[in-house]
Structures are given as C-alpha cells and as structure tokens.
C-alpha cells in the first residue's frame, strides 16, 4: 500500500482525515516518521503555511506528503483570527484562551458571520498541488458541546442548529472545511 505523510501533530485532525482517506493509502503522522521538528508557520496565508509544512517534510524525508493549514475568519473582526487561529489567545493550541479572546473581541456585535477555511498542500511524485475547503457559519455567544477541538464549541455551521462540538466526527467531517478539502484530495488520489 502506498504511504503518505500527513504533516501534523494535531491528533484530532489526524483522526478526521484518516476517517476520510480510508484504506487507499497508509497515512503516516509526523510521530510515525520520527519528526520532532517545530515547523514554523510564518506565512500570511493558509496556502503559504500549508506549503511551508509539506515542503519541509518533503525536503527532509523525501516522502510524498500533505499538510493542511486551517483557521477561522470572523467578518466583524476583519477576518481575524485567520492564520493566527492557533495562537490567537497568546499560547499555541490553548483553545480555551483562543475562544475567550474571540468572544471578548466580538462582544455583543450582532454580525456573527464567520467561516472555517482549509488549504491542503500535497507534494506527490515531486509535483505540488493545492486543495481548498470552507464552511460558512455563525459564532455563538457561549460554548456548547464537548466534541471536536479548537473553536468547535462556538461555531454553528449554516443550516444546522448545533455547534461542531455537538456533532459526531462523521457529521462534522461531512460538511467541514477540512472534510471538503480532503474530499478533493481523495478524489485526486483515487483518480486513475
Ligand atoms: P498543525 O499545525 O500541527 O497541523 P494546528 O492545531 O496548528 O495543527 P491548524 O494550523 O490547521 O492546526 O489550525 C489552526 C487553528 O485553527 C487550530 O489550532 C484551531 O484553533 C483552529 N481550527 C482549525 N480547524 C479547526 C476545526 O476543525 N475546528 C475548530 N477549530 C479549528
């Protein structure tokens, strides 16, 4: 079976993507290939950051790989936190601090419109390709639900009356930014 590295340290993301990719590829995490490097996400766009991660792994390990960069854009905050989503509250990956800061900055603003976006950068057979996905929604005033990760407890996707954190992984995966980007990736990977 062909191997493909998913350049992430985020176990939730790994689980979501592995469920979508199925058995067609053996998915390897950074842990699986013994990569302990801190890959700097210094880009100003999701595309740049995804490419930084996949290029780093490809150059160092000479393996086919993909990376994603995702984030939340809130219209009333001029697209913040965007590429700073992971460290919006100050510490990388402190999801509670990130949500606290977002809810504080948004206050009682009635415009709660937002979207999650994902860009996947794939390097395979020395070619580089990009896949994108997005999901529109609104920011709740309070957290609801315990599933998922990141901003899931305060994000309600359009057409639903529950947050991502109240959905099963399968339900979230069907409509999420990452799920949609991964669908394009898998369509490409399974094309003859
Ligand atoms: P890696 O860089 O190791 O892959 P990460 O947690 O930094 O993991 P991203 O750069 O893709 O992941 O995402 C940045 C942040 O955006 C992430 O830490 C969350 O705060 C938020 N985010 C991304 N996808 C999300 C999702 O599906 N649900 C909730 N929050 C999400």
């Amino acid at each position: 079976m062909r191997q493909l590295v998913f350049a992430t340290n985020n176990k939730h993301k790994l689980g979501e993507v592995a469920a979508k990719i199925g058995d067609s590829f053996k998915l390897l995490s950074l842990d699986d290939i013994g990569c302990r490097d801190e890959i700097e996400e210094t880009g100003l766009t999701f595309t740049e950051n995804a490419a930084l991660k996949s290029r780093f792994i490809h150059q160092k390990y000479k393996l086919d790989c993909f990376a994603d960069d995702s984030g939340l854009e809130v219209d009333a905050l001029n697209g913040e936190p965007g590429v700073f989503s992971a460290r919006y509250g100050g510490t990388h990956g402190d999801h509670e601090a990130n949500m606290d800061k977002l809810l504080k900055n948004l206050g009682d603003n009635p415009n709660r419109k937002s979207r999650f976006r994902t860009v996947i950068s794939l390097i395979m057979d020395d070619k580089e390709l990009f896949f994108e996905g997005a999901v529109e929604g609104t920011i709740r005033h309070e957290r609801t639900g315990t599933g998922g990760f990141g901003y899931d407890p305060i994000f309600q996707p359009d057409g639903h009356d529950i947050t991502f954190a109240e959905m099963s992984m399968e339900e979230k995966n069907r409509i999420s930014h990452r799920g949609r980007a991964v669908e394009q990736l898998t369509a490409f990977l399974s094309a003859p």
Side-chain angles (χ1 to χ4, degrees):
M1 191 188 295
R2 252 184 113 167
Q3 298 193 332
L4 193 56
V5 178
F6 180 19
T8 184
N9 285 312
N10 182 322
K11 298 259 180 302
H12 283 277
K13 280 167 53 168
L14 200 62
E16 287 180 8
V17 173
K20 277 248 168 193
I21 293 232
D23 296 333
S24 42
F25 279 79
K26 182 168 166 43
L27 211 56
L28 302 175
S29 67
L30 291 180
D31 238 15
D32 293 333
I33 60 168
C35 177
R36 310 260 175 276
D37 297 287
E38 195 55 57
I39 308 169
E40 292 280 341
E41 293 179 33
T42 51
L44 292 178
T45 62
F46 297 122
T47 305
E48 282 177 75
N49 280 337
L52 279 173
K53 292 189 260 188
S54 57
R55 285 176 196 161
F56 178 91
I57 296 303
H58 185 252
Q59 272 158 21
K60 183 161 177 180
Y61 297 92
K62 312 284 176 231
L63 293 169
D64 287 339
C65 67
F66 69 94
D68 84 323
D69 196 43
S70 319
L72 182 66
E73 296 175 340
V74 179
D75 285 359
L77 300 177
N78 299 317
E80 276 188 19
V83 287
F84 303 108
S85 292
R87 53 187 190 278
Y88 193 50
T91 310
H92 188 106
D94 185 342
H95 302 312
E96 295 305 321
N98 291 340
M99 284 189 285
D100 283 342
K101 182 169 176 186
L102 186 76
L103 290 176
K104 184 163 169 277
N105 285 352
L106 204 49
D108 284 334
N109 195 320
N111 179 9
R112 320 292 294 183
K113 215 171 147 28
S114 66
R115 75 205 49 77
F116 272 119
R117 290 215 299 127
T118 291
V119 176
I120 291 177
S121 151
L122 169 73
I123 302 182
M124 181 167 252
D125 303 328
D126 294 320
K127 284 196 239 355
E128 188 175 52
L129 291 118
F130 294 93
F131 305 91
E132 296 194 20
V135 55
E136 298 286 328
T138 50
I139 302 296
R140 287 271 191 98
H141 288 269
E142 283 160 15
R143 296 160 165 80
T144 320
T146 53
F149 72 102
Y151 299 88
D152 282 347
I154 56 171
F155 183 82
Q156 179 176 310
D158 286 353
H160 297 260
D161 56 8
I162 55 174
T163 66
F164 266 172
E166 293 176 280
M167 294 183 174
S168 66
M169 185 177 77
E170 290 72 25
E171 214 178 340
K172 176 184 169 187
N173 248 343
R174 264 199 298 276
I175 57 168
S176 81
H177 48 314
R178 191 171 306 99
R180 287 174 174 160
V182 171
E183 261 158 36
Q184 294 184 42
L185 171 71
T186 45
F188 172 80
L189 293 175
S190 55

